[in-house]
Amino acid sequence: MKPKLVRGTRDFSPAVVNKRNYIFDTLRSVFVKYGFNPLETPAMEELSTLTGKYGDEGDQLLFKILNNGDYLAKANETALNNKNSSQLTASISQRALRYDLTVPFARYVVLNRNDIAFPFKRYQIQPVWRADKPQKGRYREFYQCDVDVIGSESLLYEAELCQIYDEAFAKLNLGVVIRLNNRKILDGLAQYAGYPNLFTQITVAIDKLDKIGWDGVQKELERLGIDELGFEKVKAVINAPDIPTLKTIFAGIEVGLKGIEELETVQAFLEGYAFKNTLKIDFSLARGLSYYTGCIYEVEVDTSIESQKDIKMGSIGGGGRYADLTGIFGLKDTSGVGVSFGAARIYDVMEELNLFEQIPVSSSNVLFLAMDEAALKYGFKALQKVRAAGISSTIYPKAWKFQKLMKYADKVKVPYVVIIGSKEMESGALGFKNMTTGEQQSLNIEAIIEQLKSE
């Protein structure tokens, strides 16, 4: 049998995992700084928990799990005979892999509401699964890194999430544009265009603007029955140069003006904060997920930066305010807001920009190499002293030829090696080599420990 990977999934070598952990550790340090606590939820959720939360397109991307045992025993025979997959699914699958971390978080909050102090701030770093068509930057299994706060309508948290995005990407040395809009503005757009009942469909069409352009959006809107005047009004809102202009357009449209007011409140909270990246108010930002009700975010690589100009990647983060996501699970009027970091895409961009050059690819800081059996026993005892000092270290498990030992050390990319032979055992001065510079010294084990600690 020829081994192969499932399309849209990847193996991760130790070097890759170390780099990815650098991203996770960096994000975690920012999340903790802003007062968020860790949370984990199961990979599987009830299918009913997930369906209807991501729009029609999102529902199609759920990985359903067949029921245990003979899953056809209770299958809908009519649906089976008619090959009606949508009706058949309900009778053969009751569970699915989670699509994102937000809906499971809402489910957790409802189940644990008596033990939670609101507002509740959590971060979550776990994999999610989507039955998508694999392509560059798009995988079927990938990690999300989420921060959410639930139980408060304060727009202070929207401002805080802008700061979290800014600080996290600055720490990763990756320049980004943080795009900000409000779903109420899109609701106002639908009213202004004269099609308030098509708000969701118009939003989905606008969400594709960067992929299909205005001609494509116009065709989508035409299929919805929106005439030329309606299309021109949609363009007028999206292309509004600033908030004052949009206020004039939305005169008398209460929901649109409310969205503008919320954006202005977020800006007020951020007064005096010096962004390291770019925050951009963008009226074209739609975010297709149906549970968003207020401010929405999307983050993309800033290609105006010379070193990043050739990066071709979609969004590497996004999120927004949801007014009542927990309501569907029985906990009404509990507003929340959160954002997600697309770890897989962030990794790919950082790899392309060589931003991992200073990240250790080996978990061991030093490797002991023995020239003979006596040296192997001697080295194993010396290794215990290094580990007792809290230094990550390992030893090659047998005596071998020097050239082969060094070839192994090169391959595992360990930063230092300790070389032990009969001469080193007799003198106590061990060979200590820096694998980056090639410099080699003769030092006793105590001096080696001190030097490793000082690194």
Side-chain angles (χ1 to χ4, degrees):
M1 177 180 176
K2 185 178 179 180
K4 61 182 293 187
L5 276 170
V6 174
R7 285 191 67 215
T9 67
R10 298 176 291 173
D11 287 323
F12 297 98
S13 69
V16 172
V17 172
N18 281 329
K19 293 174 183 177
R20 193 177 64 184
N21 283 343
Y22 168 74
I23 295 174
F24 293 163
D25 291 343
T26 300
L27 297 181
R28 189 179 290 110
S29 70
V30 177
F31 300 160
V32 170
K33 176 181 174 181
Y34 280 80
F36 290 80
N37 288 301
L39 179 70
E40 292 188 0
T41 58
M44 293 182 294
E45 294 282 349
E46 292 290 321
L47 182 58
S48 59
T49 296
L50 302 177
T51 51
K53 315 304 187 303
Y54 310 107
D56 292 339
E57 291 186 19
D59 283 352
Q60 298 302 313
L61 300 182
L62 292 173
F63 268 116
K64 287 86 173 178
I65 300 171
L66 292 173
N67 293 336
N68 298 350
D70 184 3
Y71 58 86
L72 287 178
K74 297 182 180 179
N76 182 324
E77 292 188 16
T78 302
L80 184 61
N81 293 333
N82 294 335
K83 296 184 179 181
N84 187 324
S85 59
S86 60
Q87 290 185 7
L88 179 63
T89 297
S91 63
I92 64 174
S93 174
Q94 295 176 327
R95 297 176 294 274
L97 295 176
R98 61 171 172 248
Y99 178 92
D100 72 352
L101 300 178
T102 305
V103 171
F105 169 57
R107 189 264 312 147
Y108 170 87
V109 168
V110 174
L111 287 179
N112 296 275
R113 58 186 179 274
N114 294 327
D115 301 317
I116 291 174
F118 293 103
F120 177 54
K121 301 174 79 171
R122 84 84 170 86
Y123 74 85
Q124 195 168 346
I125 301 175
Q126 286 187 279
V128 299
W129 293 266
R130 297 182 184 178
D132 215 339
K133 182 178 180 181
Q135 54 185 283
K136 178 178 171 62
R138 191 181 293 263
Y139 304 99
R140 287 174 172 163
E141 179 186 54
F142 57 95
Y143 270 80
Q144 280 190 338
C145 309
D146 282 15
V147 275
D148 285 78
V149 55
I150 196 163
S152 173
E153 296 180 357
S154 174
L155 293 168
L156 174 151
Y157 290 119
E158 271 81 347
E160 194 169 77
L161 290 171
C162 289
Q163 293 173 326
I164 285 173
Y165 264 146
D166 183 54
E167 187 167 336
F169 283 110
K171 278 179 171 278
L172 293 172
N173 200 30
L174 183 58
V176 298
V177 176
I178 305 160
R179 300 165 63 204
L180 180 65
N181 196 17
N182 194 295
R183 289 275 287 201
K184 293 182 179 71
I185 288 175
L186 298 169
D187 197 346
L189 176 153
Q191 291 190 27
Y192 176 66
Y195 300 88
N197 58 320
L198 294 178
F199 161 60
T200 300
Q201 296 91 325
I202 292 172
T203 299
V204 171
I206 294 171
D207 197 26
K208 301 175 183 177
L209 178 60
D210 60 336
K211 298 174 185 174
I212 63 177
W214 276 116
D215 289 342
V217 171
Q218 184 171 14
K219 290 176 182 176
E220 294 259 338
L221 297 182
E222 285 176 351
R223 280 194 287 270
L224 295 172
I226 296 175
D227 60 21
E228 180 71 22
L229 177 60
F231 172 66
E232 290 302 324
K233 287 186 172 183
V234 168
K235 283 186 71 175
V237 172
I238 299 303
N239 292 329
D242 50 40
I243 284 178
T245 302
L246 191 57
K247 280 184 178 179
T248 301
I249 292 173
F250 278 165
I253 301 177
E254 187 176 338
V255 66
L257 293 174
K258 179 63 175 174
I260 293 173
E261 178 188 333
E262 290 182 1
L263 284 183
E264 290 180 321
T265 300
V266 174
Q267 288 179 314
F269 274 120
L270 291 169
E271 283 180 9
Y273 176 78
F275 275 90
K276 304 169 187 69
N277 292 283
T278 300
L279 178 66
K280 178 184 178 183
I281 303 296
D282 186 348
F283 303 131
S284 71
L285 177 59
R287 300 290 296 172
L289 297 183
S290 58
Y291 54 67
Y292 290 131
T293 57
C295 286
I296 46 178
Y297 306 80
E298 197 154 275
V299 179
E300 58 188 25
V301 176
D302 188 349
T303 54
S304 69
I305 298 173
E306 179 63 25
S307 61
Q308 300 180 171
K309 65 180 181 180
D310 296 324
I311 296 295
K312 304 234 179 332
M313 184 64 75
S315 66
I316 56 176
R321 165 72 63 173
Y322 39 92
D324 194 27
L325 188 58
T326 58
I328 54 177
F329 301 124
L331 183 60
K332 296 290 186 182
D333 303 320
T334 306
S335 185
V337 62
V339 296
S340 179
F341 290 75
R345 290 187 174 189
I346 293 169
Y347 178 95
D348 289 348
V349 171
M350 291 182 65
E351 190 73 85
E352 190 171 343
L353 294 172
N354 297 316
L355 296 179
F356 290 118
E357 287 183 334
Q358 304 304 316
I359 308 305
V361 295
S362 172
S363 59
S364 293
N365 202 27
V366 60
L367 169 67
F368 282 74
L369 305 174
M371 300 297 106
D372 55 45
E373 288 302 318
L376 186 63
K377 294 183 178 66
Y378 182 99
F380 189 71
K381 290 180 180 178
L383 173 70
Q384 309 314 309
K385 294 182 179 180
V386 175
R387 286 177 175 166
I391 298 166
S392 174
S393 50
T394 189
I395 186 169
Y396 193 78
K398 68 175 183 179
W400 214 8
K401 292 181 180 179
F402 179 74
Q403 290 84 354
K404 290 187 175 182
L405 289 172
M406 292 305 294
K407 185 176 181 180
Y408 173 81
D410 282 332
K411 194 168 186 178
V412 297
K413 300 187 183 302
V414 70
Y416 295 96
V417 296
V418 174
I419 304 162
I420 306 173
S422 56
K423 183 178 73 173
E424 286 77 16
M425 285 191 294
E426 184 177 342
S427 66
L430 312 181
F432 182 63
K433 184 171 183 177
N434 184 317
M435 294 298 288
T436 303
T437 65
E439 178 188 2
Q440 183 168 328
Q441 307 172 67
S442 293
L443 302 172
N444 62 33
I445 194 63
E446 288 75 19
I448 288 173
I449 289 171
E450 286 303 313
Q451 188 148 332
L452 288 170
K453 279 185 168 182
S454 67
E455 292 296 323

